[in-house]
Amino acid sequence: MNIEPISVIELNQADSKQRGQAYGEAARQRIEMILAVYRDIFHRITGETWQQTLIRGKPFILKAKAFAPDLVEEIQGIAEGANRAFDDIFLLNARSEILFNPQVLAQECTTIAALPEVTKNGDMLLAQNWDWYKEVINCQVILKIGQREGKPALVTFTEAGQLAKIGMNAAGIGLVVNNLTSDQPRTGVPWIFLTRRILESSHLAQALGYVLNTARAHSINFLIGYADGEAVNLETSPVEEHVLWPENGVCVHTNHYLKPGNNFRDLKPLRDPYPSTYLRCRRAQKGMAELKGEIDVQGIQNILKDHMDNPFSVCVHQNPAAEPMQQIVTCLSIVMNLSRRQIHYTIGNPCRGKAESIELDW
């Protein structure tokens, strides 16, 4: 597969709709690409027409409007800029909630955090391999959103048309995420809206509040890092949340709950025939322990290239024997130095792709 350079889009508009319009215009081609990808994926999973799928997304719009009307307005702007219907762009921002199917348990992501007391240079590091359908590799964008009243400047790596996903901001807040699967889905706020609010936070406590005090629709682990030297895993389901702090200065998470739920079941171990989540978690934990006090960007990058038990490894490659809905690969590998405001990333598999860096002048 030919991997194209990722699009970088700078957005400095104060008005939500105008910011969305500029985003939609700049990302129009990639938005068209990713809508075509999801049209195919949704149909293969559900058998529905696109219009039927869009109808299932409508109840989430009301929840999103109540939570963040400015972000819904931004989505309207994205739709206008991309010359698409509002419902199309909203679907991109609620794809996990609308797509939810307990029979489809794709492995998605390995995340790592290292506190300053265990890193080689005293830096706060946050990292992720984002594993998803291979067709989305060339549908990613980098958004650089300027400072607005009460909200710090931020950088986020996300799918074209989405509000935010992985990233960091000028206040020192960083975010990586893991998909989880529980048996208690409900109509609530899509998790993409929460990632944007986390990256708009000026304080760690504020970011926690957005996650813990919101009626969530989907099960996600939010691993939040803070440049001042802290990190926290927020394991969430629609009905419960777990606040997990680092152990020995390190957080590692994959796609199963580390703490058992009281009000839900973790479907990952029950229905996944190849639960690589446990192996990936073990390999990342072991790799971090072996680095001890010498943890740095390169060391974490090497962990993210691990191929133990390929294709069920930390660095995920296509498995020809897998079912179509399990054809997952590493689409992005990223290490963020929150202390130095640096981002190191590779589009696609980190063992093959070219490593790039961003120096932020915040």
Side-chain angles (χ1 to χ4, degrees), residues 69-183:
D70 59 312
L71 297 183
V72 174
E73 187 176 6
E74 187 167 321
I75 288 175
Q76 180 63 56
I78 296 169
E80 292 178 8
N83 197 26
R84 298 294 307 201
F86 169 85
D87 287 353
D88 289 341
I89 305 303
F90 185 84
L91 180 143
L92 295 176
N93 288 277
R95 51 96 161 154
S96 300
E97 290 77 10
I98 300 170
L99 187 62
F100 176 80
N101 184 330
Q103 304 302 324
V104 181
L105 296 168
Q107 59 189 33
E108 187 183 355
C109 309
T110 300
T111 58
I112 298 170
L115 303 189
E117 57 261 35
V118 298
T119 60
K120 185 175 182 178
N121 298 309
D123 295 328
M124 178 68 221
L125 303 177
L126 195 62
Q128 174 167 357
N129 270 4
W130 176 53
D131 311 321
W132 196 228
Y133 295 100
K134 61 183 176 62
E135 293 86 354
V136 308
I137 288 180
N138 288 329
C139 300
Q140 300 176 78
V141 296
I142 299 173
L143 302 181
K144 293 184 174 182
I145 302 177
Q147 181 180 0
R148 289 149 293 141
E149 185 176 355
K151 297 175 181 176
L154 66 91
V155 172
T156 181
F157 289 66
T158 194
E159 298 163 54
Q162 289 182 343
L163 295 166
K165 192 184 295 168
I166 302 159
M168 63 184 292
N169 70 23
I173 300 289
L175 174 67
V176 290
V177 292
N178 307 87
N179 191 45
L180 299 172
T181 310
S182 73
D183 64 347

Side-chain angles (χ1 to χ4, degrees), residues 3 14-15 28-29 71 91 95 141 168 172 174 189 214 237 287 291 342:
I3 297 179
D15 180 78
R28 183 178 297 172
Q29 182 178 2
L71 297 183
L91 180 143
R95 51 96 161 154
V141 296
M168 63 184 292
V189 176
T214 299
S237 78
L291 290 174
Q342 297 170 340

